[in-house]
Amino acid sequence: MSNPDPAVIPSPTEQAAPTPLAAALEIGARELAVRAGVRTPVHFGNPSREIESLLSSTGILDLGWRGKILVTGNDRERWLNGMVTNAVQTLPHGEGNYSFLLNSQGRILGDCNVYRRTGDVILDTSRDQIPILLSHLEHYIIMDEVELQDVSEGGPDAGPLETALALAGPGAPAILAALGVKLPSAPAAAGNARLFPGAIANTGVTIIEAPQVLVPRYEVWLPSAEARSIWAAFLAAGAQPAGLLAAESLRVLE
């Protein structure tokens, strides 16, 4: 395994709140690390076994350290197209791509995944980047019909965006199918992610099929209140819990 990212090394004195999943599972402080200002499971007892599950079977990860910015308004796509480094206006509905946000000198302020949906756009980023990205974006709303909202904690316009899990590994498609999720047959454009609705454990969710690098990988956006039940459904279907150290190792390998 590679050396862990300093951002995921446990910090016992940190007073950050746990992710919704960590709180629901009542995971102890020694098993948590601060990631993006949120305490997230760093491992589940055996990081080497956890990375092996991501590479050879299926691992399930807590993405509660991610957050969402909802972009609405009639000018949203034209305006956002000039704010990020990847195309928004030509992005097919139901797909997403990866972008940077730059200041006027070309310096990177942050990064995000941009998902174009019917009626709005979602920016998915780490929670600690949301304040600076919101401030930067709001500064450039001048005569544009654009509204921004941090929906990381849910809300009337958020839908099932309160927290997220990731399912990664060769067995991920089969586990989703076993849970009743029908994967779209048409592939996304090259390099894009694909977004579609689904239901797991009798809960409506949003599922993201990420571009495959080493292994299939999916994200599931879900209400915080259902984090424990959906996590349990994945475990019962054969996924193995994996923490930040395993996720970072997979990121480095990819």
Side-chain angles (χ1 to χ4, degrees), residues 16-39:
T19 66
L21 178 70
L25 297 180
E26 299 179 346
I27 298 174
R30 293 183 180 179
E31 300 164 308
L32 298 177
V34 177
R35 179 66 181 267
V38 186
R39 295 186 68 78

mmCIF file with all atom_site columns, all heavy atoms in Angstrom, residues 16-39:
data_model
loop_
_atom_site.group_PDB
_atom_site.id
_atom_site.type_symbol
_atom_site.label_atom_id
_atom_site.label_alt_id
_atom_site.label_comp_id
_atom_site.label_asym_id
_atom_site.label_entity_id
_atom_site.label_seq_id
_atom_site.pdbx_PDB_ins_code
_atom_site.Cartn_x
_atom_site.Cartn_y
_atom_site.Cartn_z
_atom_site.occupancy
_atom_site.B_iso_or_equiv
_atom_site.pdbx_formal_charge
_atom_site.auth_seq_id
_atom_site.auth_comp_id
_atom_site.auth_asym_id
_atom_site.auth_atom_id
_atom_site.pdbx_PDB_model_num
ATOM 1   N N   . ALA A 1 16 ? -14.527 17.688 14.699 1.00 0.00 ? 16 ALA A N   1
ATOM 2   C CA  . ALA A 1 16 ? -15.441 17.668 13.562 1.00 0.00 ? 16 ALA A CA  1
ATOM 3   C C   . ALA A 1 16 ? -16.529 16.624 13.782 1.00 0.00 ? 16 ALA A C   1
ATOM 4   O O   . ALA A 1 16 ? -16.327 15.610 14.448 1.00 0.00 ? 16 ALA A O   1
ATOM 5   C CB  . ALA A 1 16 ? -14.676 17.366 12.284 1.00 0.00 ? 16 ALA A CB  1
ATOM 6   N N   . ALA A 1 17 ? -17.694 16.878 13.183 1.00 0.00 ? 17 ALA A N   1
ATOM 7   C CA  . ALA A 1 17 ? -18.806 15.947 13.288 1.00 0.00 ? 17 ALA A CA  1
ATOM 8   C C   . ALA A 1 17 ? -18.545 14.707 12.438 1.00 0.00 ? 17 ALA A C   1
ATOM 9   O O   . ALA A 1 17 ? -17.863 14.778 11.418 1.00 0.00 ? 17 ALA A O   1
ATOM 10  C CB  . ALA A 1 17 ? -20.092 16.626 12.839 1.00 0.00 ? 17 ALA A CB  1
ATOM 11  N N   . PRO A 1 18 ? -19.091 13.554 12.824 1.00 0.00 ? 18 PRO A N   1
ATOM 12  C CA  . PRO A 1 18 ? -18.952 12.361 11.987 1.00 0.00 ? 18 PRO A CA  1
ATOM 13  C C   . PRO A 1 18 ? -19.892 12.425 10.789 1.00 0.00 ? 18 PRO A C   1
ATOM 14  O O   . PRO A 1 18 ? -20.858 13.192 10.774 1.00 0.00 ? 18 PRO A O   1
ATOM 15  C CB  . PRO A 1 18 ? -19.363 11.228 12.937 1.00 0.00 ? 18 PRO A CB  1
ATOM 16  C CG  . PRO A 1 18 ? -20.337 11.878 13.869 1.00 0.00 ? 18 PRO A CG  1
ATOM 17  C CD  . PRO A 1 18 ? -19.828 13.290 14.060 1.00 0.00 ? 18 PRO A CD  1
ATOM 18  N N   . THR A 1 19 ? -19.607 11.632 9.778  1.00 0.00 ? 19 THR A N   1
ATOM 19  C CA  . THR A 1 19 ? -20.535 11.513 8.659  1.00 0.00 ? 19 THR A CA  1
ATOM 20  C C   . THR A 1 19 ? -21.834 10.886 9.175  1.00 0.00 ? 19 THR A C   1
ATOM 21  O O   . THR A 1 19 ? -21.858 10.239 10.228 1.00 0.00 ? 19 THR A O   1
ATOM 22  C CB  . THR A 1 19 ? -19.959 10.620 7.558  1.00 0.00 ? 19 THR A CB  1
ATOM 23  O OG1 . THR A 1 19 ? -19.841 9.280  8.062  1.00 0.00 ? 19 THR A OG1 1
ATOM 24  C CG2 . THR A 1 19 ? -18.603 11.116 7.089  1.00 0.00 ? 19 THR A CG2 1
ATOM 25  N N   . PRO A 1 20 ? -22.932 11.042 8.415  1.00 0.00 ? 20 PRO A N   1
ATOM 26  C CA  . PRO A 1 20 ? -24.187 10.406 8.838  1.00 0.00 ? 20 PRO A CA  1
ATOM 27  C C   . PRO A 1 20 ? -24.044 8.897  9.039  1.00 0.00 ? 20 PRO A C   1
ATOM 28  O O   . PRO A 1 20 ? -24.621 8.338  9.973  1.00 0.00 ? 20 PRO A O   1
ATOM 29  C CB  . PRO A 1 20 ? -25.144 10.731 7.692  1.00 0.00 ? 20 PRO A CB  1
ATOM 30  C CG  . PRO A 1 20 ? -24.637 12.037 7.154  1.00 0.00 ? 20 PRO A CG  1
ATOM 31  C CD  . PRO A 1 20 ? -23.145 11.934 7.249  1.00 0.00 ? 20 PRO A CD  1
ATOM 32  N N   . LEU A 1 21 ? -23.266 8.228  8.176  1.00 0.00 ? 21 LEU A N   1
ATOM 33  C CA  . LEU A 1 21 ? -23.097 6.791  8.328  1.00 0.00 ? 21 LEU A CA  1
ATOM 34  C C   . LEU A 1 21 ? -22.313 6.464  9.594  1.00 0.00 ? 21 LEU A C   1
ATOM 35  O O   . LEU A 1 21 ? -22.680 5.569  10.355 1.00 0.00 ? 21 LEU A O   1
ATOM 36  C CB  . LEU A 1 21 ? -22.393 6.203  7.113  1.00 0.00 ? 21 LEU A CB  1
ATOM 37  C CG  . LEU A 1 21 ? -22.138 4.698  7.209  1.00 0.00 ? 21 LEU A CG  1
ATOM 38  C CD1 . LEU A 1 21 ? -23.447 3.917  7.110  1.00 0.00 ? 21 LEU A CD1 1
ATOM 39  C CD2 . LEU A 1 21 ? -21.164 4.230  6.138  1.00 0.00 ? 21 LEU A CD2 1
ATOM 40  N N   . ALA A 1 22 ? -21.199 7.183  9.817  1.00 0.00 ? 22 ALA A N   1
ATOM 41  C CA  . ALA A 1 22 ? -20.387 6.928  11.003 1.00 0.00 ? 22 ALA A CA  1
ATOM 42  C C   . ALA A 1 22 ? -21.203 7.135  12.271 1.00 0.00 ? 22 ALA A C   1
ATOM 43  O O   . ALA A 1 22 ? -21.086 6.376  13.235 1.00 0.00 ? 22 ALA A O   1
ATOM 44  C CB  . ALA A 1 22 ? -19.156 7.828  11.007 1.00 0.00 ? 22 ALA A CB  1
ATOM 45  N N   . ALA A 1 23 ? -22.043 8.150  12.277 1.00 0.00 ? 23 ALA A N   1
ATOM 46  C CA  . ALA A 1 23 ? -22.899 8.396  13.437 1.00 0.00 ? 23 ALA A CA  1
ATOM 47  C C   . ALA A 1 23 ? -23.915 7.269  13.605 1.00 0.00 ? 23 ALA A C   1
ATOM 48  O O   . ALA A 1 23 ? -24.163 6.795  14.716 1.00 0.00 ? 23 ALA A O   1
ATOM 49  C CB  . ALA A 1 23 ? -23.606 9.736  13.287 1.00 0.00 ? 23 ALA A CB  1
ATOM 50  N N   . ALA A 1 24 ? -24.502 6.820  12.494 1.00 0.00 ? 24 ALA A N   1
ATOM 51  C CA  . ALA A 1 24 ? -25.512 5.766  12.566 1.00 0.00 ? 24 ALA A CA  1
ATOM 52  C C   . ALA A 1 24 ? -24.921 4.443  13.030 1.00 0.00 ? 24 ALA A C   1
ATOM 53  O O   . ALA A 1 24 ? -25.554 3.692  13.772 1.00 0.00 ? 24 ALA A O   1
ATOM 54  C CB  . ALA A 1 24 ? -26.185 5.590  11.203 1.00 0.00 ? 24 ALA A CB  1
ATOM 55  N N   . LEU A 1 25 ? -23.681 4.160  12.622 1.00 0.00 ? 25 LEU A N   1
ATOM 56  C CA  . LEU A 1 25 ? -23.029 2.915  13.009 1.00 0.00 ? 25 LEU A CA  1
ATOM 57  C C   . LEU A 1 25 ? -22.333 3.021  14.355 1.00 0.00 ? 25 LEU A C   1
ATOM 58  O O   . LEU A 1 25 ? -21.803 2.030  14.860 1.00 0.00 ? 25 LEU A O   1
ATOM 59  C CB  . LEU A 1 25 ? -22.001 2.499  11.940 1.00 0.00 ? 25 LEU A CB  1
ATOM 60  C CG  . LEU A 1 25 ? -22.554 2.186  10.550 1.00 0.00 ? 25 LEU A CG  1
ATOM 61  C CD1 . LEU A 1 25 ? -21.416 1.797  9.608  1.00 0.00 ? 25 LEU A CD1 1
ATOM 62  C CD2 . LEU A 1 25 ? -23.595 1.087  10.601 1.00 0.00 ? 25 LEU A CD2 1
ATOM 63  N N   . GLU A 1 26 ? -22.309 4.239  14.920 1.00 0.00 ? 26 GLU A N   1
ATOM 64  C CA  . GLU A 1 26 ? -21.663 4.491  16.225 1.00 0.00 ? 26 GLU A CA  1
ATOM 65  C C   . GLU A 1 26 ? -20.214 4.029  16.214 1.00 0.00 ? 26 GLU A C   1
ATOM 66  O O   . GLU A 1 26 ? -19.741 3.349  17.114 1.00 0.00 ? 26 GLU A O   1
ATOM 67  C CB  . GLU A 1 26 ? -22.452 3.811  17.346 1.00 0.00 ? 26 GLU A CB  1
ATOM 68  C CG  . GLU A 1 26 ? -23.884 4.329  17.469 1.00 0.00 ? 26 GLU A CG  1
ATOM 69  C CD  . GLU A 1 26 ? -24.675 3.651  18.570 1.00 0.00 ? 26 GLU A CD  1
ATOM 70  O OE1 . GLU A 1 26 ? -24.218 2.608  19.075 1.00 0.00 ? 26 GLU A OE1 1
ATOM 71  O OE2 . GLU A 1 26 ? -25.740 4.172  18.922 1.00 0.00 ? 26 GLU A OE2 1
ATOM 72  N N   . ILE A 1 27 ? -19.504 4.415  15.159 1.00 0.00 ? 27 ILE A N   1
ATOM 73  C CA  . ILE A 1 27 ? -18.091 4.049  15.027 1.00 0.00 ? 27 ILE A CA  1
ATOM 74  C C   . ILE A 1 27 ? -17.264 4.883  15.992 1.00 0.00 ? 27 ILE A C   1
ATOM 75  O O   . ILE A 1 27 ? -17.433 6.088  16.099 1.00 0.00 ? 27 ILE A O   1
ATOM 76  C CB  . ILE A 1 27 ? -17.616 4.254  13.574 1.00 0.00 ? 27 ILE A CB  1
ATOM 77  C CG1 . ILE A 1 27 ? -18.418 3.345  12.641 1.00 0.00 ? 27 ILE A CG1 1
ATOM 78  C CG2 . ILE A 1 27 ? -16.130 3.969  13.441 1.00 0.00 ? 27 ILE A CG2 1
ATOM 79  C CD1 . ILE A 1 27 ? -18.135 3.571  11.177 1.00 0.00 ? 27 ILE A CD1 1
ATOM 80  N N   . GLY A 1 28 ? -16.329 4.256  16.705 1.00 0.00 ? 28 GLY A N   1
ATOM 81  C CA  . GLY A 1 28 ? -15.515 4.940  17.701 1.00 0.00 ? 28 GLY A CA  1
ATOM 82  C C   . GLY A 1 28 ? -14.540 5.928  17.088 1.00 0.00 ? 28 GLY A C   1
ATOM 83  O O   . GLY A 1 28 ? -14.135 5.805  15.930 1.00 0.00 ? 28 GLY A O   1
ATOM 84  N N   . ALA A 1 29 ? -14.128 6.908  17.890 1.00 0.00 ? 29 ALA A N   1
ATOM 85  C CA  . ALA A 1 29 ? -13.249 7.978  17.416 1.00 0.00 ? 29 ALA A CA  1
ATOM 86  C C   . ALA A 1 29 ? -11.923 7.443  16.882 1.00 0.00 ? 29 ALA A C   1
ATOM 87  O O   . ALA A 1 29 ? -11.347 8.003  15.961 1.00 0.00 ? 29 ALA A O   1
ATOM 88  C CB  . ALA A 1 29 ? -13.008 8.984  18.527 1.00 0.00 ? 29 ALA A CB  1
ATOM 89  N N   . ARG A 1 30 ? -11.405 6.361  17.457 1.00 0.00 ? 30 ARG A N   1
ATOM 90  C CA  . ARG A 1 30 ? -10.123 5.826  17.014 1.00 0.00 ? 30 ARG A CA  1
ATOM 91  C C   . ARG A 1 30 ? -10.200 5.246  15.602 1.00 0.00 ? 30 ARG A C   1
ATOM 92  O O   . ARG A 1 30 ? -9.172  5.048  14.958 1.00 0.00 ? 30 ARG A O   1
ATOM 93  C CB  . ARG A 1 30 ? -9.642  4.751  17.983 1.00 0.00 ? 30 ARG A CB  1
ATOM 94  C CG  . ARG A 1 30 ? -9.283  5.287  19.375 1.00 0.00 ? 30 ARG A CG  1
ATOM 95  C CD  . ARG A 1 30 ? -8.743  4.189  20.263 1.00 0.00 ? 30 ARG A CD  1
ATOM 96  N NE  . ARG A 1 30 ? -8.410  4.699  21.587 1.00 0.00 ? 30 ARG A NE  1
ATOM 97  C CZ  . ARG A 1 30 ? -7.930  3.950  22.575 1.00 0.00 ? 30 ARG A CZ  1
ATOM 98  N NH1 . ARG A 1 30 ? -7.725  2.650  22.369 1.00 0.00 ? 30 ARG A NH1 1
ATOM 99  N NH2 . ARG A 1 30 ? -7.644  4.473  23.748 1.00 0.00 ? 30 ARG A NH2 1
ATOM 100 N N   . GLU A 1 31 ? -11.378 4.942  15.142 1.00 0.00 ? 31 GLU A N   1
ATOM 101 C CA  . GLU A 1 31 ? -11.550 4.362  13.820 1.00 0.00 ? 31 GLU A CA  1
ATOM 102 C C   . GLU A 1 31 ? -11.910 5.407  12.774 1.00 0.00 ? 31 GLU A C   1
ATOM 103 O O   . GLU A 1 31 ? -12.179 5.071  11.634 1.00 0.00 ? 31 GLU A O   1
ATOM 104 C CB  . GLU A 1 31 ? -12.647 3.286  13.871 1.00 0.00 ? 31 GLU A CB  1
ATOM 105 C CG  . GLU A 1 31 ? -12.331 2.149  14.829 1.00 0.00 ? 31 GLU A CG  1
ATOM 106 C CD  . GLU A 1 31 ? -13.572 1.332  15.151 1.00 0.00 ? 31 GLU A CD  1
ATOM 107 O OE1 . GLU A 1 31 ? -14.592 1.940  15.539 1.00 0.00 ? 31 GLU A OE1 1
ATOM 108 O OE2 . GLU A 1 31 ? -13.510 0.109  15.009 1.00 0.00 ? 31 GLU A OE2 1
ATOM 109 N N   . LEU A 1 32 ? -11.926 6.690  13.177 1.00 0.00 ? 32 LEU A N   1
ATOM 110 C CA  . LEU A 1 32 ? -12.322 7.762  12.272 1.00 0.00 ? 32 LEU A CA  1
ATOM 111 C C   . LEU A 1 32 ? -11.146 8.666  11.949 1.00 0.00 ? 32 LEU A C   1
ATOM 112 O O   . LEU A 1 32 ? -10.218 8.814  12.752 1.00 0.00 ? 32 LEU A O   1
ATOM 113 C CB  . LEU A 1 32 ? -13.442 8.603  12.895 1.00 0.00 ? 32 LEU A CB  1
ATOM 114 C CG  . LEU A 1 32 ? -14.763 7.888  13.190 1.00 0.00 ? 32 LEU A CG  1
ATOM 115 C CD1 . LEU A 1 32 ? -15.738 8.844  13.865 1.00 0.00 ? 32 LEU A CD1 1
ATOM 116 C CD2 . LEU A 1 32 ? -15.372 7.319  11.921 1.00 0.00 ? 32 LEU A CD2 1
ATOM 117 N N   . ALA A 1 33 ? -11.182 9.261  10.776 1.00 0.00 ? 33 ALA A N   1
ATOM 118 C CA  . ALA A 1 33 ? -10.199 10.253 10.363 1.00 0.00 ? 33 ALA A CA  1
ATOM 119 C C   . ALA A 1 33 ? -10.953 11.469 9.840  1.00 0.00 ? 33 ALA A C   1
ATOM 120 O O   . ALA A 1 33 ? -12.078 11.349 9.359  1.00 0.00 ? 33 ALA A O   1
ATOM 121 C CB  . ALA A 1 33 ? -9.289  9.699  9.268  1.00 0.00 ? 33 ALA A CB  1
ATOM 122 N N   . VAL A 1 34 ? -10.317 12.627 9.936  1.00 0.00 ? 34 VAL A N   1
ATOM 123 C CA  . VAL A 1 34 ? -10.941 13.840 9.421  1.00 0.00 ? 34 VAL A CA  1
ATOM 124 C C   . VAL A 1 34 ? -10.631 13.953 7.938  1.00 0.00 ? 34 VAL A C   1
ATOM 125 O O   . VAL A 1 34 ? -9.473  13.987 7.528  1.00 0.00 ? 34 VAL A O   1
ATOM 126 C CB  . VAL A 1 34 ? -10.447 15.086 10.177 1.00 0.00 ? 34 VAL A CB  1
ATOM 127 C CG1 . VAL A 1 34 ? -11.056 16.347 9.574  1.00 0.00 ? 34 VAL A CG1 1
ATOM 128 C CG2 . VAL A 1 34 ? -10.816 14.981 11.648 1.00 0.00 ? 34 VAL A CG2 1
ATOM 129 N N   . ARG A 1 35 ? -11.679 14.009 7.131  1.00 0.00 ? 35 ARG A N   1
ATOM 130 C CA  . ARG A 1 35 ? -11.536 14.184 5.696  1.00 0.00 ? 35 ARG A CA  1
ATOM 131 C C   . ARG A 1 35 ? -12.498 15.287 5.288  1.00 0.00 ? 35 ARG A C   1
ATOM 132 O O   . ARG A 1 35 ? -13.700 15.180 5.534  1.00 0.00 ? 35 ARG A O   1
ATOM 133 C CB  . ARG A 1 35 ? -11.857 12.886 4.939  1.00 0.00 ? 35 ARG A CB  1
ATOM 134 C CG  . ARG A 1 35 ? -11.760 12.988 3.405  1.00 0.00 ? 35 ARG A CG  1
ATOM 135 C CD  . ARG A 1 35 ? -10.314 13.238 2.984  1.00 0.00 ? 35 ARG A CD  1
ATOM 136 N NE  . ARG A 1 35 ? -10.168 13.367 1.553  1.00 0.00 ? 35 ARG A NE  1
ATOM 137 C CZ  . ARG A 1 35 ? -9.867  12.378 0.719  1.00 0.00 ? 35 ARG A CZ  1
ATOM 138 N NH1 . ARG A 1 35 ? -9.705  11.153 1.185  1.00 0.00 ? 35 ARG A NH1 1
ATOM 139 N NH2 . ARG A 1 35 ? -9.736  12.583 -0.561 1.00 0.00 ? 35 ARG A NH2 1
ATOM 140 N N   . ALA A 1 36 ? -11.968 16.345 4.717  1.00 0.00 ? 36 ALA A N   1
ATOM 141 C CA  . ALA A 1 36 ? -12.787 17.476 4.257  1.00 0.00 ? 36 ALA A CA  1
ATOM 142 C C   . ALA A 1 36 ? -13.626 18.057 5.383  1.00 0.00 ? 36 ALA A C   1
ATOM 143 O O   . ALA A 1 36 ? -14.744 18.509 5.166  1.00 0.00 ? 36 ALA A O   1
ATOM 144 C CB  . ALA A 1 36 ? -13.671 17.046 3.087  1.00 0.00 ? 36 ALA A CB  1
ATOM 145 N N   . GLY A 1 37 ? -13.090 18.025 6.604  1.00 0.00 ? 37 GLY A N   1
ATOM 146 C CA  . GLY A 1 37 ? -13.775 18.626 7.738  1.00 0.00 ? 37 GLY A CA  1
ATOM 147 C C   . GLY A 1 37 ? -14.819 17.737 8.382  1.00 0.00 ? 37 GLY A C   1
ATOM 148 O O   . GLY A 1 37 ? -15.542 18.177 9.268  1.00 0.00 ? 37 GLY A O   1
ATOM 149 N N   . VAL A 1 38 ? -14.913 16.478 7.945  1.00 0.00 ? 38 VAL A N   1
ATOM 150 C CA  . VAL A 1 38 ? -15.906 15.541 8.472  1.00 0.00 ? 38 VAL A CA  1
ATOM 151 C C   . VAL A 1 38 ? -15.193 14.272 8.921  1.00 0.00 ? 38 VAL A C   1
ATOM 152 O O   . VAL A 1 38 ? -14.279 13.794 8.246  1.00 0.00 ? 38 VAL A O   1
ATOM 153 C CB  . VAL A 1 38 ? -16.961 15.197 7.399  1.00 0.00 ? 38 VAL A CB  1
ATOM 154 C CG1 . VAL A 1 38 ? -18.070 14.344 7.983  1.00 0.00 ? 38 VAL A CG1 1
ATOM 155 C CG2 . VAL A 1 38 ? -17.545 16.465 6.784  1.00 0.00 ? 38 VAL A CG2 1
ATOM 156 N N   . ARG A 1 39 ? -15.610 13.711 10.047 1.00 0.00 ? 39 ARG A N   1
ATOM 157 C CA  . ARG A 1 39 ? -14.979 12.486 10.538 1.00 0.00 ? 39 ARG A CA  1
ATOM 158 C C   . ARG A 1 39 ? -15.574 11.274 9.822  1.00 0.00 ? 39 ARG A C   1
ATOM 159 O O   . ARG A 1 39 ? -16.776 11.043 9.865  1.00 0.00 ? 39 ARG A O   1
ATOM 160 C CB  . ARG A 1 39 ? -15.131 12.379 12.049 1.00 0.00 ? 39 ARG A CB  1
ATOM 161 C CG  . ARG A 1 39 ? -14.381 13.498 12.778 1.00 0.00 ? 39 ARG A CG  1
ATOM 162 C CD  . ARG A 1 39 ? -14.407 13.326 14.293 1.00 0.00 ? 39 ARG A CD  1
ATOM 163 N NE  . ARG A 1 39 ? -13.637 12.168 14.725 1.00 0.00 ? 39 ARG A NE  1
ATOM 164 C CZ  . ARG A 1 39 ? -12.308 12.144 14.806 1.00 0.00 ? 39 ARG A CZ  1
ATOM 165 N NH1 . ARG A 1 39 ? -11.591 13.202 14.451 1.00 0.00 ? 39 ARG A NH1 1
ATOM 166 N NH2 . ARG A 1 39 ? -11.684 11.062 15.240 1.00 0.00 ? 39 ARG A NH2 1
#
